[in-house]
């Protein structure tokens, strides 16, 4: 595949193929002809999750709910801001701590829980156990369990999506099957089995695990396959993050506006989580929010998809990249075409990060703020530097008419996973980070 076919500049193309970190700016942001933001499902997802609050407490009585729900804190992180060399004059740094989301400890709780709940609700309505718009707590009844026991919910995953979908599906009484790609961490497989989920291990990558799951479900009419590459129910669930974040931002006096722009840095795998969050926030705050996705230098699948104008078949392998990264949640060779088409008009850009940068971010989050992240969740940490001090970042700021010295700007790192990582793995991550830093 040539860079011409991908329609990108020779400089970007060279940086990609040599795995040099780069910031790519999306020329289609703000173009009305780049597709409208189709969001019919966002409101119904919000209402569904509202109706599920009691059910979640019934299913997971031990969980550490935040404000009574599956939500996460917005944390001010001045020490991390200093550690990342971000001057106060450039704005204020926050973390949206989805690594603390209850029950499964990752952003996948948002999309995964929503799609399983939507499916369970549908089955219960068809079986006459529930009327539309009723509280979902009835799904935890013996009748509900009996209904779900003859049904399967399956998914392909590098780890966290499987953990999210497998956990809630098994808790509701479904047979739950997770097809795991080879990079899935051993502890995630063990944890799933402990929760009563069947784990099918595949030698191939994420795309092939998804394909295997899709095929298995086609053979079995009672198997509902959740397709991470093409699911609007997942996207709708992720998008619901926006309304609660809006409340949190208002509480700290930082509701996005032309004078108070919000920059959001989101780790991106197949694109559903960051895409849904971006669409949800765009709907509330329009062009006053700026979205930068972070991808590993070996797996920049959304960058390739967007820069190639949405070519269906473009993968990181076409570019000579190997999809090998310690960011298991981001080790995805092909981005979702469905998501790419929807975010064309809102995405600001994509930057790439090395594994060394991931580990460095993870260590800083620990040392400055005592936050425990997994490598994928630290992918966004290079974002503020890219935006406030690189040539491409300065071009973006100028084109968006944002003053560089904008102390009212909010920069938000979305930490997507990590609170469930076992202690031993956490020590290993930090040990590795220290070794990498000492070699620089
Ligand atoms: C899945 C995941 C992401 C990215 O979400 P996608 O929907 O795959 O783009 C980011 N961080 C972590 C920790 C994840 O598990």
């Amino acid at each position: 595949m040539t860079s011409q076919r991908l329609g990108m500049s020779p400089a970007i193309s060279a940086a990609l193929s040599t795995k040099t970190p780069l910031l790519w700016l999306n020329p289609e942001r703000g173009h009305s002809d780049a597709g409208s933001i189709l969001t019919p499902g966002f409101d119904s997802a919000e209402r569904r999750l509202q109706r599920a609050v009691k059910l979640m407490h019934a299913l997971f009585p031990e969980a550490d709910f935040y404000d009574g729900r599956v939500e996460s804190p917005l944390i001010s992180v001045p020490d991390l801001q200093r550690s990342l060399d971000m001057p106060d004059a450039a704005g204020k740094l926050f973390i949206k701590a989805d690594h603390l989301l209850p029950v499964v400890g990752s952003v996948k709780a948002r999309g995964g829980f929503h799609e399983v709940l939507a499916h369970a609700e549908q089955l219960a309505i068809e079986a006459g156990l529930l009327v539309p718009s009723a509280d979902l707590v009835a799904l935890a009844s013996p009748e509900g369990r009996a209904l779900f026991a003859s049904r399967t919910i399956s998914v392909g995953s590098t780890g966290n999506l499987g953990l999210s979908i497998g956990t809630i599906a098994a808790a509701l009484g479904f047979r739950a099957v997770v097809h795991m790609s080879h990079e899935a961490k051993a502890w995630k497989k063990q944890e799933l089995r402990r929760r009563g989920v069947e784990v099918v291990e595949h030698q191939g990558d994420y795309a092939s695990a998804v394909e295997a799951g899709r095929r298995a479900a086609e053979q079995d009419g009672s198997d509902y396959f959740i397709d991470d590459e093409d699911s609007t129910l997942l996207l709708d669930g992720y998008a619901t993050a926006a309304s609660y974040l809006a409340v949190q931002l208002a509480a700290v006096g930082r509701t996005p506006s032309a004078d108070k722009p919000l920059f959001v840095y989101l780790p991106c795998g197949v694109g559903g989580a960051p895409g849904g969050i971006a669409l949800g926030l765009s709907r509330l705050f329009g062009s006053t929010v700026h979205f930068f996705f972070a991808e590993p230098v070996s797996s920049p699948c959304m960058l390739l998809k967007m820069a190639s104008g949405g070519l269906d078949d473009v993968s990181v392998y076409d570019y000579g990249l190997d999809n090998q990264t310690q960011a298991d949640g981001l080790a995805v060779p092909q981005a979702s075409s469905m998501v790419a088409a929807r975010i064309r008009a809102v995405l600001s850009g994509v930057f790439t990060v090395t594994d060394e940068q991931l580990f460095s971010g993870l260590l800083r989050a620990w040392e400055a703020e005592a936050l425990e992240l997994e490598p994928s969740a630290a992918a966004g940490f290079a974002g503020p530097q890219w935006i406030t001090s690189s040539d491409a970042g300065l071009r973006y700021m100028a084109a968006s008419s944002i003053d560089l010295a904008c102390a009212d700007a909010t920069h938000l790192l979305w930490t997507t996973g990590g609170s469930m990582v076992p202690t031993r793995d956490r020590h290993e991550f930090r040990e590795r980070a220290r070794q990498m830093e000492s070699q620089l």
Side-chain angles (χ1 to χ4, degrees):
M1 176 140 334
T2 67
S3 57
Q4 251 128 6
R5 187 176 165 209
L6 287 173
M8 59 178 70
S9 76
I12 294 282
S13 158
L16 272 175
S17 53
T18 53
K19 299 191 185 177
T20 308
L22 67 96
L23 167 61
W24 170 83
L25 299 176
N26 175 20
E28 291 181 276
R29 172 167 155 105
H31 286 199
S32 54
D33 57 353
S36 58
I37 304 174
L38 299 169
T39 56
F42 291 5
D43 291 322
S44 70
E46 294 238 24
R47 288 193 295 269
R48 182 170 290 117
L49 293 178
Q50 283 294 338
R51 293 199 301 277
V53 169
K54 280 186 221 148
L55 173 67
M56 298 307 291
H57 284 264
L59 294 178
F60 307 108
E62 313 286 302
D64 228 342
F65 289 100
Y66 184 77
D67 195 12
R69 6 172 162 195
V70 181
E71 256 307 337
S72 69
L74 175 70
I75 308 175
S76 164
V77 285
D79 291 340
L80 182 63
Q81 176 160 356
R82 241 175 322 250
S83 165
L84 295 176
D85 294 326
M86 183 185 148
D88 290 341
K92 193 161 154 57
L93 189 68
F94 285 84
I95 275 183
K96 176 60 178 169
D98 270 6
H99 66 286
L100 297 174
L101 279 175
V103 186
V104 292
S106 86
V107 69
K108 299 300 192 311
R110 298 187 182 280
F113 286 7
H114 177 252
E115 180 152 7
V116 172
L117 290 169
H119 179 58
E121 179 179 26
Q122 181 66 30
L123 291 174
I125 290 172
E126 283 165 14
L129 289 184
L130 202 70
V131 293
S133 305
D135 194 289
L136 298 183
V137 73
L139 298 182
S141 63
E143 294 79 11
R145 293 194 73 81
L147 172 67
F148 303 143
S150 61
R151 300 281 181 155
T152 301
I153 291 184
S154 63
V155 68
S157 173
T158 63
N160 285 338
L161 186 66
L163 202 53
S164 154
I165 285 169
T167 297
I168 188 164
L172 283 165
F174 285 95
R175 173 173 171 249
V177 180
V178 175
H179 297 267
M180 288 270 199
S181 56
H182 68 84
E183 59 271 312
K185 299 277 186 254
W187 72 265
K188 290 183 184 170
K189 298 179 198 169
Q190 273 167 19
E191 185 59 27
L192 275 173
R193 292 190 170 116
R194 195 181 67 75
R195 297 180 183 202
V197 176
E198 289 171 39
V199 176
V200 185
E201 300 182 54
H202 294 276
Q203 288 312 306
D205 64 10
Y206 160 82
S208 62
V210 169
E211 186 50 33
R214 207 183 272 138
R215 256 185 285 117
E218 277 164 14
Q219 312 289 314
D220 177 355
S222 69
D223 185 341
Y224 179 80
F225 179 71
I226 294 185
D227 195 333
D228 196 17
E229 291 177 341
D230 192 21
S231 165
T232 51
L233 284 170
L234 282 178
L235 197 72
D236 296 342
Y238 291 122
T240 64
S243 51
Y244 193 75
L245 177 62
V247 174
Q248 293 176 310
L249 287 169
V252 294
R254 291 185 167 267
T255 296
S257 67
D259 298 336
K260 296 183 175 180
L262 171 64
F263 294 83
V264 189
Y265 306 101
L266 292 151
C268 178
V270 74
I277 291 167
L279 290 170
L281 284 169
S282 284
R283 189 168 68 144
L284 295 184
F285 302 113
S287 62
T288 63
V289 193
H290 305 267
F291 305 100
F292 291 91
F293 288 6
E295 297 190 299
V297 290
S298 298
S299 312
C301 62
M302 186 57 83
L303 196 170
L304 287 176
K305 176 84 75 181
M306 298 298 296
S308 67
L311 277 182
D312 268 347
D313 58 350
V314 67
S315 108
V316 303
Y317 305 127
D318 300 334
Y319 229 73
L321 299 170
D322 59 10
N323 195 35
Q324 296 296 311
T325 168
Q326 285 297 315
D328 49 322
L330 312 182
V332 175
Q334 272 187 299
S336 162
S337 298
M338 182 274 286
V339 172
R342 283 170 204 239
I343 62 174
R344 297 208 83 80
V346 305
L347 180 70
S348 301
V350 181
F351 58 91
T352 58
V353 293
T354 61
D355 277 9
E356 284 79 3
Q357 287 177 295
L358 294 174
F359 280 97
S360 158
L362 182 147
L363 188 59
R364 277 153 210 267
W366 169 250
E367 290 181 340
E369 311 285 346
L371 301 175
E372 310 239 37
L373 306 180
E374 58 182 279
S376 298
F381 282 39
Q385 275 288 339
W386 274 115
I387 305 318
T388 59
S389 29
S390 74
D391 288 348
L394 301 187
R395 253 186 290 132
Y396 182 86
M397 296 293 260
S400 313
S401 309
I402 301 172
D403 200 337
L404 260 191
C406 181
D408 285 334
T410 303
H411 293 258
L412 185 58
L413 305 173
W414 209 288
T415 56
T416 45
S419 64
M420 299 221 359
V421 175
T423 312
R424 216 192 57 199
D425 294 54
R426 286 178 174 168
H427 285 297
E428 264 175 42
F429 287 156
R430 295 203 281 269
E431 201 35 52
R432 205 177 168 129
R434 292 193 183 98
Q435 271 169 17
M436 283 177 170
E437 299 224 317
S438 71
Q439 281 161 14
L440 289 181

